[in-house]
Amino acid sequence: MSTASLNDKLAATLASREKEMILRRSPSTDTAVSSISPLIDFSSGDYLSFAVSKRLRNNFLERLAKSPDILGTGGSRLLANSKLHEGLEERVRRFFGVEAALIFNSGCSANVGFFSAIPQAGDCVVHDENMHASVYDGMRASRARDRLYPFSHNSLSALKKVLTKVLEERPGVRSGANSVFIVVESLYSMDGTFAPLTEIAELLESPLLPKRNAYLVVDEAHCFGIYGRGRGRVAELGLESKVFARTITFSKVVSSSGGAILSSALVRDYLFNHARALIFTVALTYSNVIAVD
């Protein structure tokens, strides 16, 4: 079977991106973050330069030398759970003061896992238009895929209008039988803007939503480790009790890989049973968990 037609289409798409100057290519290896590089890093997600810290490197190597398990994990968390993984989740849980934490292989997979699983049939998702691509991927794979409502970036008035529209169009939400999720990032890295979290939380408890069936979800990828004594913007503003769930990532401040969902024990158990991004992939390697811990 000839692949000429397919190849032509792929090549044409790439040529179009190159013409528009949006074609992605691997960056030069000369600019990679490295402890032996003479360059100062202003471009990566290694916010605090922990990836090139000799002290952390030595601590990590010492932990590896003492650990009986280093390579692989043996499979999914459902098949090959470990004390290392549960220990990290417990440390994260205590650090944030939440009821439960569940680690994923990345912040991306945490978002995909959460948003593809948690919204139920008849629920709606109202989201800032500038959300992470992983949030979009999760929402589009969810049971709420046909009930997604974007609002203008960081606009409270736009959010209120969209919520009013949802209440008008969706009798299940209006009656309280269904839920509406409001999704924002605490800090949008591409814009350098903070979400008005306090004002959003107040809006969700206003007479506009008397059934109290609105749930605020905050992606803290760019605030974890920096704000609120490391606990993020939600903690800095004292909004922990107002937020249904938070996403964090270990790939920036922690200089490793992985992510986690912070929420209730019920949400954790539900994700453990229904989040395909967790169930159908291998767990973080032992060495990765040690690096984060």
Side-chain angles (χ1 to χ4, degrees):
M1 180 181 294
S2 173
T3 60
S5 179
L6 174 60
N7 288 344
D8 289 344
K9 292 175 182 178
L10 298 180
T13 300
L14 291 175
S16 175
R17 291 186 69 89
E18 185 165 31
K19 183 178 180 180
E20 296 175 17
M21 294 187 290
I22 57 172
L23 182 65
R24 298 184 180 98
R25 290 188 173 90
S26 298
S28 169
T29 57
D30 294 334
T31 62
V33 177
S34 170
S35 58
I36 61 174
S37 172
L39 302 176
I40 298 175
D41 175 23
F42 289 109
S43 63
S44 79
D46 183 26
Y47 293 166
L48 300 181
S49 297
F50 284 169
V52 294
S53 166
K54 292 181 179 180
R55 179 179 177 182
L56 286 181
R57 172 188 169 89
N58 291 335
N59 288 344
F60 173 55
L61 293 175
E62 288 177 9
R63 284 285 305 277
L64 283 180
K66 295 177 181 178
S67 176
D69 301 302
I70 297 176
L71 303 175
T73 51
S76 164
R77 283 289 301 279
L78 278 68
L79 300 174
N81 199 21
S82 77
K83 291 182 179 179
L84 279 173
H85 291 78
E86 289 201 342
L88 176 59
E89 286 178 340
E90 175 60 16
R91 184 173 183 183
V92 170
R93 186 197 70 78
R94 286 189 282 105
F95 179 74
F96 284 95
V98 294
E99 188 175 315
L102 181 62
I103 58 175
F104 285 75
N105 284 8
S106 67
C108 175
S109 61
N111 275 333
V112 172
F114 180 90
F115 288 103
S116 63
I118 293 298
Q120 303 295 294
D123 291 349
C124 299
V125 182
V126 175
H127 61 92
D128 190 290
E129 63 184 355
N130 285 6
M131 292 303 302
H132 279 131
S134 56
V135 174
Y136 276 96
D137 289 345
M139 294 188 299
R140 289 166 179 165
S142 77
R143 281 167 285 191
R145 66 176 68 88
D146 298 323
R147 295 174 300 281
L148 306 179
Y149 293 80
F151 65 92
S152 299
H153 177 55
N154 269 357
S155 172
L156 283 169
S157 60
L159 172 57
K160 189 172 183 179
K161 287 180 181 178
V162 170
L163 287 172
T164 301
K165 180 180 180 181
V166 169
L167 292 168
E168 292 173 349
E169 295 181 350
R170 306 294 177 181
V173 175
R174 189 166 61 249
S175 69
N178 296 118
S179 303
V180 56
F181 296 88
I182 293 80
V183 188
V184 297
E185 295 179 29
S186 50
L187 172 61
Y188 296 84
S189 64
M190 300 301 289
D191 305 273
T193 53
F194 286 111
L197 294 177
T198 300
E199 292 81 0
I200 292 174
E202 291 172 352
L203 177 61
L204 301 190
E205 294 184 345
S206 73
L208 178 67
L209 295 156
K211 299 300 182 180
R212 298 294 182 264
N213 56 334
Y215 299 94
L216 179 57
V217 182
V218 182
D219 186 330
E220 290 260 54
H222 304 293
C223 282
F224 164 48
I226 303 294
Y227 297 94
R229 295 187 176 182
R231 291 169 176 82
R233 183 72 169 165
V234 170
E236 183 178 53
L237 298 173
L239 298 174
E240 295 96 322
S241 64
K242 311 291 185 184
V243 175
F244 178 69
R246 285 173 272 172
T247 306
I248 62 170
T249 179
F250 303 135
S251 63
K252 295 177 173 62
V253 166
V254 182
S255 297
S256 186
S257 61
I261 297 292
L262 315 176
S263 192
S264 66
L266 176 61
V267 168
R268 184 191 187 280
D269 288 345
Y270 190 90
L271 290 173
F272 206 84
N273 282 273
H274 292 280
R276 297 172 68 86
L278 174 78
I279 298 168
F280 297 107
T281 188
V282 296
L284 283 175
T285 65
Y286 298 121
S287 58
N288 200 149
V289 174
I290 291 170
V292 174
D293 194 46

